[in-house]
Amino acid sequence: MTRLGRPGVLSGGTALVAALVGVVLAGVDPLSTLAGLGGTGLLAVGLVRRTRPAVTLGATGLGGAVVLGGVAGAGGAAVVGATAAVVLAWTVGQTSVELADHGPTARTARFELTHLGGTSLLLGAAAGIVLAPRLLRVDPSPLGVTLVLVGGVCLTGALLASER
């Protein structure tokens, strides 16, 4: 059986791509870029070793990179997109690890695609709601960007607390 047919490989690959998208969007300075790359590395280790705490720790590092990028001057759309990418990386990364328990011959591609599609749809809707005022030509306020950054901090805290 090919390696791509193993349970969780599709989700794991998607998690890494989403993590890299988050790094590209949030990495506006050296510190946020390094934090994002470090988080991506930890996420990759968690996916290879099939350990949920490492996946969560990697996603936490990515969340920190989003916060650092926002503080360093990333635009609102970049912060929202990076946040959505980090959440996608975390949730499909966790799914990848969980599916490894089903054995190497389990057929999980349909489930993985369904989970990825549903999660992407939900995150896209949330990002659309956050970005709607900007798209509707409403003057952006510092409060909106601050709320997104506070949401990033809360996400980071929740990810850390989920493994304790």
Side-chain angles (χ1 to χ4, degrees), residues 14-39:
T14 303
L16 288 176
V17 169
L20 291 174
V21 168
V23 171
V24 168
L25 291 173
V28 296
D29 70 332
L31 186 58
S32 61
T33 302
L34 286 174
L37 291 174

Side-chain angles (χ1 to χ4, degrees), residues 26-113:
V28 296
D29 70 332
L31 186 58
S32 61
T33 302
L34 286 174
L37 291 174
T40 302
L42 287 170
L43 180 76
V45 168
L47 293 170
V48 169
R49 293 188 175 214
R50 302 291 193 190
T51 59
R52 292 181 62 156
V55 170
T56 298
L57 189 59
T60 302
L62 287 162
V66 172
V67 172
L68 290 170
V71 170
V79 171
V80 171
T83 301
V86 169
V87 173
L88 182 65
W90 176 71
T91 189
V92 296
Q94 292 289 337
T95 300
S96 175
V97 172
E98 290 174 16
L99 291 176
D101 294 338
H102 293 283
T105 60
R107 295 182 181 195
T108 60
R110 178 179 275 169
F111 171 78
E112 291 179 74
L113 288 171

Side-chain angles (χ1 to χ4, degrees), residues 56 59-60 63-64 67 150-164:
T56 298
T60 302
V67 172
V150 168
V153 170
C154 291
L155 173 65
T156 302
L159 290 173
L160 284 172
S162 72
E163 293 300 321
R164 291 186 181 164

